[in-house]
Amino acid sequence: MSQPLTERLSVLFQYLLPKQALTRLAGRFAGWQGGRWTTAAIQRFVRRYGVNMDEAANPDVASYSSFNEFFTRPLKAGARPIAEAAFVSPVDGAISQCGRIEGDRIFQAKGHDYTTRALVGGDAALASRFEGGEFATLYLSPRDYHRIHMPCAGRLVRMVHVPGDLFSVNPVTARGVPGLFARNERVVCEFEGEHGPFVMVLVGATIVGSMATVWHGVVNPPRPGVLREWRYEMGNIELAQGEEMGRFLLGSTVVMLFPRGVMKFNADWTPARPIRLGEAMGLMLAV
């Protein structure tokens, strides 16, 4: 069954949009400290998207000097307890897709998939470690908490910034743009954990002005248009389960990859289901 006409038109419109220019403009606005104008804009955003400020460490909207500060607001202590599980949700959001990696192919939406190699920026050796493994694609909407945490403990090995498009990553676009998550700009973070390697990919989107990690700071901008790589084998950067690892401006998507025979998703982890940071995601299989 083809996409409804309204969805096809929405996707076509995105092909025509000057997405890079819009994203640069949004980034400038998000960093602008406009006093009462910034406060009014944040108040309007909170009302439109139903943001629950009671969960924020600082619920006073007027105290945020910029949209960047508001978007990346921390939660109050205890707002997201970490479940006693081998793997937990790293974000607030919704499950776009999750399940088995079929060979090297990741399911995006009906009629669309993409390869692990494309997702990680062309690294065939890294991609081969996840053949037949498990993946989860998690969508963060504008109303969600925008910090990303660790699904399990891990030691950082490498980070790669992959240049690309800036399509929206909402469900409509996922159904209409082939290979969406492997063609958008993204930051690939490679870790080694108790169970072996795992990857967390932070996927950019239209007006997502920047992505940042706790060990590097802001990764983009700049956007030089070429692949950039940082290696951390000797850096001894270790993050505990539930610890913050990065953040988005506004909202986007995280894609996670796990090797074959390592983990199994909980039965209630199904597409379109809302999720919360720290809830049980899966169990570790006997090795």
Side-chain angles (χ1 to χ4, degrees):
M1 183 177 177
S2 63
Q3 275 189 298
L5 178 60
T6 54
E7 289 194 5
R8 295 201 303 272
L9 290 174
S10 174
V11 171
L12 175 62
F13 181 62
Q14 288 193 54
Y15 276 98
L16 301 175
L17 275 175
K19 296 180 284 295
Q20 295 280 352
L22 284 174
T23 299
R24 287 194 297 270
L25 183 62
R28 293 193 189 101
F29 174 74
W32 177 54
Q33 297 184 6
R36 62 189 179 93
W37 300 106
T38 294
T39 298
I42 294 173
Q43 289 171 333
R44 182 176 180 182
F45 185 94
V46 168
R47 288 194 301 270
R48 177 177 178 182
Y49 291 104
V51 178
N52 183 3
M53 293 301 295
D54 291 338
E55 296 182 328
N58 178 9
D60 181 11
V61 170
S63 69
Y64 294 99
S65 62
S66 69
F67 255 79
N68 274 343
E69 188 179 356
F70 164 70
F71 285 137
T72 58
R73 63 195 178 278
L75 296 174
K76 64 176 59 172
R80 296 292 185 275
I82 304 301
E84 293 186 7
F87 302 92
V88 300
S89 172
V91 295
D92 282 5
I95 302 168
S96 176
Q97 297 291 340
C98 68
R100 179 67 55 84
I101 300 169
E102 299 296 339
D104 68 343
R105 306 201 74 83
I106 300 172
F107 181 73
Q108 175 177 303
K110 186 175 181 180
H112 298 301
D113 62 13
Y114 55 95
T115 66
T116 52
R117 181 174 180 177
L119 178 69
V120 301
D123 187 332
L126 176 60
S128 68
R129 304 182 77 180
F130 302 100
E131 286 190 8
E134 303 288 331
F135 80 96
T137 305
L138 310 178
Y139 170 65
L140 288 71
S141 74
R143 66 172 292 173
D144 289 321
Y145 170 64
H146 296 105
R147 299 192 183 199
I148 307 135
H149 296 245
M150 296 291 286
C152 54
R155 177 178 59 83
L156 181 66
V157 175
R158 187 172 59 139
M159 179 175 74
V160 180
H161 174 231
V162 185
D165 290 322
L166 288 169
F167 285 96
S168 168
V169 290
N170 63 35
V172 169
T173 314
R175 291 191 292 268
V177 176
L180 173 64
F181 304 115
R183 68 190 296 172
N184 266 17
E185 177 184 32
R186 54 205 179 276
V187 176
V188 180
C189 304
E190 179 186 351
F191 296 92
E192 285 287 339
E194 176 186 351
H195 49 74
F198 65 99
V199 164
M200 299 181 72
V201 182
L202 283 56
V203 183
T206 311
I207 73 171
V208 177
S210 68
M211 294 177 280
T213 63
V214 296
W215 57 84
H216 180 89
V218 174
V219 180
N220 63 316
R223 291 183 170 93
V226 296
L227 188 145
R228 295 182 291 158
E229 178 182 12
W230 297 263
R231 305 196 70 94
Y232 299 95
E233 290 95 335
M234 306 303 293
N236 199 31
I237 299 174
E238 298 188 10
L239 299 174
Q241 183 183 55
E243 189 173 350
E244 182 186 344
M245 60 80 63
R247 60 187 67 176
F248 286 117
L249 169 64
L250 196 56
S252 193
T253 290
V254 176
V255 182
M256 294 182 293
L257 306 179
F258 299 96
R260 184 203 313 248
V262 164
M263 67 93 72
K264 180 180 179 181
F265 287 105
N266 288 357
D268 61 351
W269 265 57
T270 55
R273 176 183 177 275
I275 53 173
R276 284 164 68 91
L277 166 66
E279 72 170 67
M281 178 175 74
L283 55 86
M284 184 178 294
L285 299 177
V287 179

